[in-house]
Amino acid sequence: MNDLERDGAAALSARPDHPHPVPDRRAWLVLGMLWFVYVLNFLDRQLMSILAKPIQDTLHVSDSQLGLIGGLYFAMFYCFIAIPVGWLADRTNRVAVLSLACGIWSAATVACGLSRSYGEFAFARMSVGFGEAGGVPPSYAIITDYFPPGRRGTALGIYNLGPPVGAALGIAFGAAIAAAFNWRYAFIILGVVGVIAAAILPLIVKEPKRGGLDGAGLKLEKAGFWSTLRMFFSRPTLVLASLGSGATQFVTYGLGNFTTLFLMREKGMTLSEVAVWYALVVGIGMSAGIYISGRVIDRYARKSKTVYALAPVISLTLAIPFYLGFVWAPTWPLALAFLIGPTFLNYFYLSSAVALVQEEVRPEQRVMSGALLLLVMNFIGLGLGPTYVGAASDFFKADHPHNSLQMALYTLTPFYVLAIGLFLWLARIFRKAEKA
């Protein structure tokens, strides 16, 4: 074990032996506010995929161009800016960083609604990614300093309900606004809400003491950029958790960015039907999966760390037949019935990976470590998944003009298998460590 790994182990072993304190009202209020900001974060991020059809009709863009805007172009800013932002937040006020980030991505969302060309829209989306880079990593660390060990899996699981709720609200309100008025109004209205939330955030969330719930006697130092970088990528458990999450996100983002377009163009749904039925599937299915996974981790991680790996293995294995049924289904009601399975099972990895990283590193390294986790999994999943599906759809269009997206989505199946294999590798490492 090297010095950095010993430091991480010391951080974990320094916890008191007495029962963990129960989080107070302030902790739950902070969690609620951070969750609301995360809802806005994901809502703004998902609007483009929800409104893909009217955006295509107005700005005359192809599936490949949509994939690049929602994937590679967005991720280039979102993933790589997150690293210096995470390092800065580890050394400064995390709440201030989060508030500024929320203001930037919300203003950029308004700019999306004002765009008049593909170039303007692409630049605005990249600016959304720039702002959102400072959203999630500081929140992970703030929550970890408000909730003690043994409570963090549940707290992070609740926080991670932001994506499904944001996606569901985006589908419901975004599609409803676009159907009643124009797709541009959806971006403008929701962006303004985010700007207001950015101003309110510092009034509710106060900067907590770093490592205050990790045990007495834990000496904190300023986190070094390169030392944290070396620590993260020298530990196989953190790297495998990141790669397994990235392979999973290749499926979830590749599918998610094109689901609405797929349902409308190839399954015959209308925008009004999407606003109701698809929103319900996402909101209920994904929320249940993320919340339950957090509870499972809190319950079983005390006995064995292998749960961080086995929970995604089991859930992803069960998800595959439902996913194939969704892509195959000849009608949209049957497709949505099958989609309930993947929306529930696809996201067990998220609570596992986030809780693992936050527990395994020192308190002063948590924001940057969370950013590094997001860098790996989002560059693979968010950056390459939608880009690949858009390009594959255009490739299949010549021979399958009426179901090119269906063919492209079928080709995502091997990435399920890859993710399962990586998490099994992680489980093997945990088992060896526990036997040693």
Side-chain angles (χ1 to χ4, degrees):
M1 181 183 290
N2 60 34
D3 292 339
L4 289 168
E5 289 175 318
R6 278 194 293 271
D7 287 343
L12 298 175
S13 63
R15 297 169 183 158
D17 293 330
H18 58 73
H20 301 307
V22 177
D24 58 15
R25 289 184 179 181
R26 163 61 61 177
W28 292 108
L29 178 62
V30 166
L31 179 61
M33 186 63 198
L34 294 176
W35 173 83
F36 177 70
V37 171
Y38 197 14
V39 168
L40 293 176
N41 177 308
F42 211 82
L43 200 160
D44 290 349
R45 191 188 311 177
Q46 292 297 300
L47 269 184
M48 193 203 74
S49 60
I50 296 161
L51 302 175
K53 186 67 167 60
I55 291 171
Q56 270 193 333
D57 294 341
T58 303
L59 300 181
H60 308 293
V61 297
S62 67
D63 288 355
S64 294
Q65 289 174 315
L66 274 179
L68 285 169
I69 297 174
L72 189 60
Y73 293 164
F74 183 92
M76 288 294 290
F77 280 81
Y78 180 74
C79 295
F80 290 101
I81 296 297
I83 305 306
V85 169
W87 174 78
L88 177 67
D90 268 330
R91 303 172 68 88
T92 60
N93 188 294
R94 295 166 290 185
V95 176
V97 171
L98 175 60
S99 178
L100 178 61
C102 181
I104 292 172
W105 86 60
S106 298
T109 300
V110 173
C112 289
L114 300 175
S115 300
R116 298 292 172 181
S117 68
Y118 172 76
E120 290 180 6
F121 191 83
F123 181 78
R125 291 304 295 170
M126 287 188 284
S127 300
V128 172
F130 179 86
E132 289 188 5
V136 179
S139 297
Y140 285 158
I142 293 169
I143 291 169
T144 303
D145 282 332
Y146 268 100
F147 288 82
R151 304 274 183 169
R152 289 169 179 166
T154 298
L156 290 168
I158 293 172
Y159 174 72
N160 282 324
L161 292 177
V165 174
L169 290 177
I171 295 165
F173 290 108
I177 292 170
F181 302 102
N182 186 288
W183 64 267
R184 299 183 185 278
Y185 285 96
F187 283 95
I188 294 170
I189 292 171
L190 295 170
V192 169
V193 172
V195 172
I196 296 172
I200 296 174
L201 177 67
L203 303 178
I204 297 177
V205 181
K206 304 303 179 183
E207 178 74 5
K209 179 182 177 181
R210 283 178 167 85
L213 299 177
D214 287 277
L218 179 59
K219 183 179 179 181
L220 300 183
E221 301 174 355
K222 293 290 185 181
F225 181 90
W226 294 110
S227 61
T228 303
L229 193 70
R230 287 193 298 271
M231 177 279 299
F232 189 93
F233 287 107
S234 67
R235 298 178 69 174
T237 53
L238 301 183
V239 174
L240 283 171
S242 302
L243 292 175
S245 299
T248 307
Q249 284 199 348
F250 197 97
V251 177
T252 60
Y253 276 114
L255 170 64
N257 274 43
F258 286 93
T259 300
T260 302
L261 185 60
F262 178 58
L263 289 170
M264 292 180 66
R265 198 168 72 189
E266 299 188 15
K267 304 295 185 184
M269 286 189 80
T270 65
L271 202 55
S272 298
E273 290 168 338
V274 166
V276 176
W277 301 111
Y278 180 43
L280 286 173
V281 169
V282 171
I284 296 173
M286 196 187 301
S287 297
I290 290 176
Y291 178 73
I292 290 173
S293 66
R295 297 302 298 266
V296 167
I297 289 163
D298 269 350
R299 179 172 181 178
Y300 293 103
R302 302 171 190 175
K303 301 176 183 178
S304 173
K305 288 184 180 181
T306 56
V307 69
Y308 291 120
L310 292 181
V313 166
I314 295 170
S315 64
L316 293 174
T317 302
L318 294 174
I320 293 176
F322 290 102
Y323 173 76
L324 292 173
F326 162 73
V327 179
W328 160 83
T331 63
W332 70 259
L334 183 58
L336 285 184
F338 277 116
L339 188 59
I340 294 171
T343 54
F344 175 75
L345 296 165
N346 276 354
Y347 296 91
F348 274 60
Y349 81 92
L350 188 57
S351 296
S352 296
V354 171
L356 172 64
V357 170
Q358 295 298 304
E359 290 281 358
E360 289 288 287
V361 305
R362 292 179 58 86
E364 69 270 24
Q365 296 176 318
R366 281 175 176 153
V367 181
M368 185 171 167
S369 295
L372 289 167
L373 169 68
L374 293 176
L375 166 66
V376 176
M377 70 182 190
N378 281 329
F379 185 76
I380 295 171
L382 176 59
L384 302 181
T387 305
Y388 166 79
V389 172
S393 178
D394 282 349
F395 172 79
F396 286 118
K397 189 167 290 185
D399 295 327
H400 302 272
H402 302 297
N403 64 331
S404 61
L405 263 177
Q406 181 187 48
M407 300 304 296
L409 293 176
Y410 272 130
T411 65
L412 286 177
T413 309
F415 291 93
Y416 269 115
V417 179
L418 176 61
I420 291 167
L422 289 167
F423 282 118
L424 282 173
W425 189 355
L426 177 61
R428 183 181 179 187
I429 291 176
F430 282 138
R431 284 200 185 100
K432 282 187 175 180
E434 290 172 357
K435 292 178 180 179

